[in-house]
Amino acid sequence: MFNIFLLSLKMSGFPIKKAMKEFEEIVKIPEKDYQKYIVNKKKEIVEFHLQNNSFYCTLNKGKSFNSWNELPVLTKKDLQKPLKERLSNGYLEKNVFVNKTSGSSGDPFIFAKDKKAHAITWASILHRFGWYGIDFNSSYQARFYGIPLDFYGYYKERLKDFLSHRYRFPIFDLSEKVLDTILIQFKNKKFNYINGYTSSIVLFGKYLQEKNIILTDVCPTLKICMVTSEMLFEDDRKMLEKYLGIPIINEYGASELDLIAFENPKGEWQVNTETIFVEILDENNLPVPHGKEGKIVITSLYNFAHPFIRYEIGDIGIIDEKSTLKNVYLKKLIGRTNDFAVLPSGKKSPGLTFYYVTKSIIKDDGNVKEFIIRQKKIDHFEIDYVSSTELNEIQIKEIEKSIAEYLEPGLTFTYNRKTILERTKSGKLKQFQTDIK
């Protein structure tokens, strides 16, 4: 079959065939030689940017590279300046891949990758999707993603969807009427896999649950579902596996970097060690032992156009104790560093704790479709939720009793029933938000 997907990358100037070959060579490096590979790539990328990137040289205070742990940790706020001031010598906006982060962390910025770096990102994606027999040229994707609403942006994404052999369901409106039309598309099209934002796919799964429909009965060509960009809770995974009728694969990535971790066929959240270097650091930016939680900090080993060296992505996670230098596994993704609630006692708690507790109480009746929690004051929270009926007094008392037990007593809540929840511009559902600075 004519490989229109790879051809489209090549025509855009991305050396995809060369990148795929190089990526497969990296995969073949044995464990005993992997430390040498990582050390050399880290040294190469740091020395290049110190010599060719004035932005990074200034960030490093003009010092030479002596110790990895002495290098500065790059934050998103550091990158909120004009892109041309951050590009390396020899790279211009017209000869690199330029994109913008979604801003789900609250700190959006424009970034760049050189053509080879972007190509090797695609090589990484193609390799991992290949674990499940997915071929971007021939496998038909049902895509639950946001889409720009301006004329140029909209049709640019539609063209990319066509070249990538996928059909996009814009997810800004997922009312029952819209979900009805999505189900019709699954009846009429031979989709092979689903890919998209976790919350949107979960909402579609709950719609199928209400209708008592197994999606593979409607679309028997479906084989797998990849969820990304938002937390996947275990009960949601079980619900999706039942009502989609296919395995659910967890993906963790960042547009400015690459795939960070991807669930392998053994059910392990395998970290990408081929094109990035992942660290877990404490509050003093020092590495923590495997099994201990900390900030996720990532170095892009191939991006020479723009430095992402010891880049704090904004997430908290834990690396599994069984990990080696080559085979690294993400044990747990806890949430974002800015998603913490500061409580009246002084306790600092991950915002997702509220979400876990509330979710565990209201999940059983299937009434509540989705919800978000906002901290308005140090002791007051608002819960916005979408449901067929209002929360009753018993449910509310159970929620508040559980939160008092798991967090602390004395917190107050306001409950707002909504027809639809506000999402970010990219279409993601930010499950916990705080107004406390």
Side-chain angles (χ1 to χ4, degrees):
M1 181 181 288
F2 184 62
N3 203 325
I4 192 170
F5 176 70
L6 295 185
L7 180 62
S8 67
L9 288 173
K10 183 179 178 181
M11 294 292 287
S12 298
F14 303 114
I16 185 63
K17 288 289 185 71
K18 184 178 179 181
M20 290 170 67
K21 183 177 180 181
E22 184 169 346
F23 185 86
E24 292 305 323
E25 290 300 316
I26 300 168
V27 171
K28 292 176 184 176
I29 298 173
E31 180 76 49
K32 64 182 179 67
D33 297 327
Y34 218 73
Q35 182 173 2
K36 181 180 178 181
Y37 164 71
I38 294 295
V39 168
N40 287 344
K41 290 302 297 181
K42 286 162 62 180
K43 182 179 180 182
E44 178 187 21
I45 199 71
V46 171
E47 290 186 345
F48 176 87
H49 284 299
L50 286 176
Q51 294 170 19
N52 296 279
N53 191 289
S54 58
F55 161 74
Y56 187 70
C57 192
T58 301
L59 194 70
N60 197 45
K61 299 178 181 178
K63 295 185 291 186
S64 58
F65 174 39
N66 296 311
S67 168
W68 182 261
N69 288 338
E70 291 177 2
L71 292 172
V73 171
L74 186 66
T75 67
K76 298 192 177 191
K77 289 190 182 297
D78 291 325
L79 301 173
Q80 290 176 323
K81 56 178 61 182
L83 178 60
K84 63 182 180 181
E85 296 179 16
R86 294 180 272 125
L87 290 176
S88 301
N89 296 338
Y91 293 97
L92 303 171
E93 291 184 44
K94 65 182 180 181
N95 64 13
V96 296
F97 171 76
V98 177
N99 205 349
K100 185 177 181 179
T101 64
S102 68
S104 58
S105 64
D107 298 309
F109 61 90
I110 295 172
F111 66 90
K113 293 182 184 180
D114 60 77
K115 294 289 181 79
K116 181 183 176 182
H118 191 56
I120 209 161
T121 291
W122 272 113
S124 167
I125 294 168
L126 291 166
H127 174 82
R128 287 171 171 81
F129 274 64
W131 289 346
Y132 300 95
I134 299 301
D135 181 334
F136 276 35
N137 183 57
S138 57
S139 301
Y140 197 17
Q141 179 190 137
R143 189 172 181 82
F144 286 77
Y145 266 73
I147 191 169
L149 299 179
D150 64 283
F151 181 85
Y152 175 76
Y154 180 87
Y155 284 101
K156 180 182 177 182
E157 289 303 311
R158 286 299 189 192
L159 176 60
K160 286 166 64 177
D161 288 341
F162 171 74
L163 295 174
S164 301
H165 204 53
R166 62 199 188 201
Y167 184 88
R168 185 183 305 236
F169 301 113
I171 43 75
F172 298 111
D173 178 5
L174 289 175
S175 59
E176 183 165 346
K177 183 178 179 181
V178 174
L179 292 172
D180 286 340
T181 65
I182 291 175
L183 181 59
I184 290 170
Q185 294 292 342
F186 275 96
K187 290 179 179 178
N188 295 336
K189 298 181 184 294
K190 295 182 178 180
F191 292 116
N192 300 116
Y193 68 113
I194 298 171
N195 189 17
Y197 294 159
T198 305
S199 64
S200 301
I201 296 173
V202 166
L203 194 58
F204 182 54
K206 290 181 176 179
Y207 162 85
L208 295 172
Q209 184 179 29
E210 276 190 355
K211 304 285 186 181
N212 197 27
I213 294 171
I214 306 299
L215 193 58
T216 46
D217 290 343
V218 172
C219 183
T221 52
L222 276 176
K223 302 298 180 187
I224 204 90
C225 171
M226 285 82 170
V227 297
T228 189
S229 294
E230 299 159 326
M231 296 288 286
L232 173 65
F233 297 92
E234 189 56 33
D235 58 320
D236 285 335
R237 178 199 283 268
K238 291 177 181 176
M239 180 274 295
L240 288 175
E241 287 178 342
K242 179 176 180 179
Y243 288 97
L244 298 186
I246 50 179
I248 308 301
I249 306 304
N250 215 346
E251 173 189 303
Y252 171 43
S255 58
E256 65 269 37
L257 297 167
D258 201 323
L259 283 180
I260 298 169
F262 198 78
E263 191 172 338
N264 67 25
K266 295 180 181 178
E268 301 160 319
W269 219 355
Q270 188 166 335
V271 172
N272 169 9
T273 60
E274 292 87 6
T275 70
I276 60 175
F277 176 67
V278 178
E279 300 174 85
I280 307 293
L281 305 183
D282 63 18
E283 291 184 355
N284 298 313
N285 293 331
L286 295 174
V288 303
H290 290 345
K292 186 175 180 181
E293 71 177 58
K295 301 184 296 185
I296 298 177
V297 174
I298 298 176
T299 297
S300 177
L301 300 174
Y302 283 86
N303 193 351
F304 291 92
H306 185 292
F308 283 106
I309 298 170
R310 304 198 88 200
Y311 165 61
E312 186 177 333
I313 193 170
D315 293 331
I316 301 291
I318 302 172
I319 295 295
D320 199 295
E321 295 90 334
K322 69 180 179 182
S323 299
T324 65
L325 195 59
K326 180 175 183 177
N327 297 302
V328 178
Y329 305 99
L330 188 63
K331 187 174 185 178
K332 193 174 183 182
L333 185 61
I334 297 169
R336 305 203 68 87
T337 51
N338 65 335
D339 287 346
F340 279 78
V342 178
L343 304 178
S345 66
K347 181 179 180 181
K348 191 177 181 183
S349 181
L352 279 173
T353 305
F354 292 86
Y355 194 85
Y356 274 116
V357 171
T358 308
K359 186 179 179 67
S360 68
I361 294 167
I362 65 179
K363 69 180 181 181
D364 293 330
D365 63 359
N367 175 37
V368 178
K369 307 299 184 297
E370 53 184 3
F371 60 93
I372 56 175
I373 298 172
R374 293 195 307 270
Q375 184 175 19
K376 305 300 290 184
K377 298 179 181 179
I378 196 165
D379 62 348
H380 183 72
F381 298 79
E382 287 189 358
I383 298 179
D384 292 349
Y385 65 98
V386 177
S387 66
S388 50
T389 60
E390 287 194 23
L391 291 175
N392 59 46
E393 190 175 338
I394 294 175
Q395 288 174 307
I396 288 173
K397 284 184 177 179
E398 282 297 314
I399 289 170
E400 295 180 359
K401 177 184 175 183
S402 186
I403 287 176
E405 180 181 348
Y406 281 91
L407 292 157
E408 63 184 58
L411 304 177
T412 61
F413 297 85
T414 302
Y415 300 86
N416 307 310
R417 185 181 169 207
K418 305 279 188 178
T419 55
I420 190 168
L421 295 184
E422 181 182 350
R423 284 172 153 77
T424 66
K425 289 183 179 180
S426 65
K428 297 179 184 178
L429 184 69
K430 191 166 173 53
Q431 292 158 327
F432 176 80
Q433 304 166 23
T434 179
D435 293 341
I436 307 298
K437 304 298 181 186

